[in-house]
Amino acid sequence: MKFVAEALNLTPPAAERLGERNILKNALIKHPFFGDVIEAYKLEKKFGEYEEGTLIAKTKHGLEVVRGYPKIRRALTLYPTIKRRFSGEVALEEKMNGYNARIALLGENIYGITRRGYICPYTTEKARELIDIAFFHDHPDLMLCCEAVGEESPFVPKATYGVKLEFYVFDIREKRSNRPLSIREKERLCQEYSLNMAPILDVVEVEIAHEIAFEVVKKLGEEGREGIVFKDVEMKKEPIKYTSSQSNCGDLRYAFRYFNDYGRDFMFSRIVREGFQSFELKENEREFRERCLRLGMSILQPMVESIREVAEGKKITEKTRLSFSSMETLKLFKEHVRRMGIEAVFGDIEEKDGKYVVTFERMMVSTTDKIKGHLKGGLW
Ligand code: ATP
Ligand code: MG
């Protein structure tokens, strides 16, 4: 673990603190598939300037640091928030709904790293298949910050985008310093190496950004899309996110289906967002009632469904279908899931078009047990 202090340029007292506070966790499953990496740790929480999810790796070619993706703060009102936080031109990017994946070169190969800093076998396999390694040969110090979206996602499965699993680049950053490239540079590189990019919906003067954003978010919502991220075109300021009502409600629908497995803050913050949005949009009676119905349905419907299922003797689970290119990565993924503390059942493996297809069923144990208890007469 000593290499971590060296990689992060820590002073000896800081290095000691790192060990004491127990904020390093092993991020690697040792295996030839990850053959460039000898040892790797991730930060469980922010440490000095280093973000949570930062990966520190000892590779055959030296020490590597891949910085964690910074938190994006949220606007609850578009006006005056956007005008206050930015100046000049802002880009309105689509906020895609998947999971955060940083893709970087470690040694000679591409690695896929998830938000919390694990080297993920599934993400790595897909990244090696989908991303042109020429990008990294030309720019070894950069990382691609992507949203991994699609139906065959182990973490956020969604049919919205009409793909099985694809990476959409939303930032390109120096992996060691986290310095982002400007929006123009990002666009240029994505074009040059044929990388998918999270759509840049508009670039506008900050004075009118909120007006444009209202329209854009409304339309995105109707299409079942999540929302927008506002970015300074030079990437000199922190981005800000804002989501559609449909996305807030979609999250609630999900959270209340598994209500005891989810943090209460998650639900509360989404309800508060609806309040501010309704206020700011100056809704008429009909629109307001529609929102009330949407919000209420997204809370009660999934919850009642879960209760009914348990009453019928079923367990509450989330089922996804995943496809792997080799049995080896499937095996690695099982181990990865176990280490993440996820309780899951994998179904029978089917061979299809040279892929190994398997169902991945997450067990929502806490919600199931909670419902069971109450149905048997347990008190809250
Ligand atoms: P946060 O990531 O802000 O800490 P969170 O886990 O709740 O909070 P989200 O509410 O999904 O995450 O918002 C931020 C995430 O949105 C990013 O981490 C990234 O994965 C995702 N994202 C999707 N599209 C974009 C985009 N165009 N620009 C930046 N991030 C995007
Ligand atoms: Mg997200």
Side-chain angles (χ1 to χ4, degrees):
M1 258 207 260
K2 244 178 139 183
F3 76 91
V4 174
E6 187 190 333
L8 299 181
N9 286 325
L10 299 183
T11 57
E16 218 162 283
R17 261 191 299 133
L18 190 67
E20 278 166 18
R21 280 205 276 152
N22 222 359
I23 64 170
L24 285 182
K25 194 168 170 191
N26 179 21
L28 172 78
I29 305 169
K30 281 198 185 135
H31 189 276
F33 188 63
F34 301 128
D36 307 80
V37 187
I38 300 162
E39 250 185 296
Y41 293 92
K42 71 186 193 76
L43 292 184
E44 291 276 276
K45 45 188 164 190
K46 199 167 163 44
F47 185 79
E49 61 171 325
Y50 298 100
E51 301 79 6
E52 179 182 339
T54 295
L55 177 82
I56 306 107
K58 183 156 122 189
T59 76
K60 289 183 177 158
H61 305 255
L63 301 183
E64 294 270 13
V65 177
V66 182
R67 298 284 289 266
Y69 191 73
K71 272 208 151 333
I72 300 182
R73 298 185 64 194
R74 175 180 300 273
L76 284 202
T77 53
L78 287 170
Y79 184 86
T81 317
I82 301 308
K83 198 169 123 107
R84 249 190 67 191
R85 305 269 164 180
F86 294 97
S87 56
E89 281 190 321
V90 277
L92 275 56
E93 277 188 18
E94 178 172 346
K95 181 177 192 305
M96 302 182 79
N97 194 0
Y99 68 94
N100 184 301
R102 280 164 288 150
I103 301 173
L105 194 72
L106 298 177
E108 286 166 4
N109 292 288
I110 292 177
Y111 286 76
I113 303 152
T114 53
R115 189 73 208 265
R116 286 159 64 195
Y118 288 107
I119 298 177
C120 168
Y122 191 74
T123 311
T124 298
E125 182 187 85
K126 298 296 173 275
R128 288 181 187 171
E129 289 168 1
L130 296 166
I131 305 287
D132 183 357
I133 198 165
F135 171 84
F136 291 107
H137 288 154
D138 298 342
H139 307 280
D141 298 332
L142 298 181
M143 62 174 167
L144 299 170
C145 303
C146 306
E147 197 71 355
V149 305
E151 254 170 300
E152 294 188 352
S153 161
F155 310 116
V156 188
K158 284 261 164 1
T160 323
Y161 304 96
V163 295
K164 282 188 168 176
L165 192 95
E166 292 285 343
F167 296 104
Y168 290 84
V169 176
F170 52 74
D171 281 358
I172 301 181
R173 294 170 174 258
E174 280 173 13
K175 65 183 171 191
R176 182 79 183 72
S177 70
N178 229 348
R179 185 186 74 83
L181 303 190
S182 72
I183 302 271
R184 286 274 163 272
E185 287 173 288
K186 170 180 74 171
E187 274 188 299
R188 188 179 62 76
L189 288 178
C190 285
Q191 208 160 33
E192 188 178 339
Y193 296 95
S194 305
L195 304 166
N196 301 319
M197 205 172 45
I200 299 173
L201 303 166
D202 214 339
V203 178
V204 297
E205 285 297 326
V206 69
E207 309 301 326
I208 57 162
H210 62 279
E211 287 169 28
I212 308 273
F214 274 131
E215 294 307 314
V216 170
V217 170
K218 214 172 132 201
K219 206 167 142 261
L220 287 173
E222 284 160 9
E223 292 169 4
R225 293 170 179 252
E226 193 178 21
I228 43 187
V229 181
F230 295 89
K231 290 181 180 170
D232 174 39
V233 289
E234 296 303 326
M235 292 294 283
K236 298 283 186 225
K237 302 203 158 115
E238 270 185 42
I240 290 178
K241 61 194 180 190
Y242 186 82
T243 47
S244 65
S245 174
Q246 288 82 352
S247 151
N248 299 337
C249 290
D251 285 357
L252 285 169
R253 185 167 280 286
Y254 186 84
F256 275 96
R257 171 156 169 73
Y258 311 118
F259 66 87
N260 223 46
D261 287 87
Y262 260 79
R264 293 180 188 198
D265 277 359
F266 184 92
M267 299 154 179
F268 181 66
S269 67
R270 278 155 183 82
I271 297 170
V272 173
R273 288 177 205 169
E274 286 298 283
F276 278 89
Q277 193 172 78
S278 175
F279 163 78
E280 195 174 23
L281 284 176
K282 301 192 182 68
E283 295 176 317
N284 63 31
E285 184 69 16
R286 182 185 55 79
E287 289 166 329
F288 180 66
R289 284 183 178 277
E290 269 174 25
R291 184 186 295 271
C292 292
L293 186 65
R294 183 163 63 234
L295 180 60
M297 286 294 241
S298 66
I299 293 173
L300 277 184
Q301 215 174 37
M303 199 163 36
V304 175
E305 193 181 300
S306 289
I307 298 170
R308 186 175 306 129
E309 281 179 26
V310 175
E312 287 166 2
K314 295 183 196 146
K315 285 184 179 153
I316 306 301
T317 68
E318 182 189 32
K319 218 173 190 174
T320 324
R321 206 185 52 149
L322 302 177
S323 61
F324 294 83
S325 299
S326 82
M327 285 297 280
E328 219 39 52
T329 40
L330 169 56
K331 236 174 73 193
L332 277 170
F333 183 70
K334 284 186 184 173
E335 170 64 13
H336 176 68
V337 162
R338 200 186 60 75
R339 288 195 189 189
M340 280 177 73
I342 295 174
E343 227 178 291
V345 172
F346 288 83
D348 292 334
I349 301 160
E350 246 183 277
E351 274 191 67
K352 213 174 148 193
D353 307 326
K355 300 264 183 202
Y356 302 93
V357 182
V358 64
T359 54
F360 165 56
E361 195 171 9
R362 278 176 86 152
M363 298 292 154
M364 303 300 182
V365 180
S366 162
T367 305
T368 307
D369 290 351
K370 176 97 178 143
I371 296 175
K372 223 186 257 171
H374 288 307
L375 289 177
K376 279 192 192 141
L379 300 176
W380 184 271

